[in-house]
Amino acid sequence: MRRNPPTDDRGMMTAFVAVVTLAFLFIAGMVYDGGQRITTYMRAQDLASNTARAAAQAIDPVTLYDADAAATLDYGLAREAAVDFLADADPDAQLSQFELLGNDDQVRVVVTLEQTALILEPLGTIDISASATSTAIRDVDGTTGVP
């Protein structure tokens, strides 16, 4: 006697829903964590600009009160101002590089910010890292700005 194969499709929809749900979760993770990558970079750039501005306001007191000398930045005070500003603004950010340029009238900082991906984390730890560089110039009239 010959048996006919079963003609019902019980259980097929369950497998389809599971595969489609995983695909949607993966796409949502790519969109959300991709947006986090962009946000992290923009936040690092904002922190770098403001850290450079804060450091560019640290004038050497000796040159500030000397009428014959041009006002220059004090390395120690400028670095301290940068570290303090960054610690207050975002404790997770790191000051990767700090230097005075020119005739000690420019400050260049590099800020690094790291986050972990949230949705795609079950696939493995995915770190989102962004570094941004900014230079602030102390102008001759005493103002500071970012070029």
Side-chain angles (χ1 to χ4, degrees), residues 6-8 24 40 54 70 76 79 86 109 112 119 122 126 142:
T7 57
D8 64 353
F24 279 136
T40 302
R79 182 169 176 79
L86 203 54
V109 298
T112 303
I119 295 179
I126 301 172

Side-chain angles (χ1 to χ4, degrees), residues 77-144:
L77 292 175
R79 182 169 176 79
E80 183 179 339
V83 169
D84 289 346
F85 175 84
L86 203 54
D88 289 342
D90 192 339
D92 296 329
Q94 298 174 355
L95 185 62
S96 303
Q97 184 179 356
F98 179 87
E99 61 184 330
L100 294 181
L101 303 172
N103 295 328
D104 291 342
D105 62 350
Q106 299 177 27
V107 178
R108 178 180 294 154
V109 298
V110 177
V111 173
T112 303
L113 191 58
E114 293 186 7
Q115 288 186 341
T116 303
L118 297 177
I119 295 179
L120 296 178
E121 190 173 5
L123 299 177
T125 303
I126 301 172
D127 291 327
I128 300 171
S129 179
S131 290
T133 303
S134 184
T135 303
I137 300 171
R138 183 148 203 71
D139 203 354
V140 291
D141 64 0
T143 61
T144 58

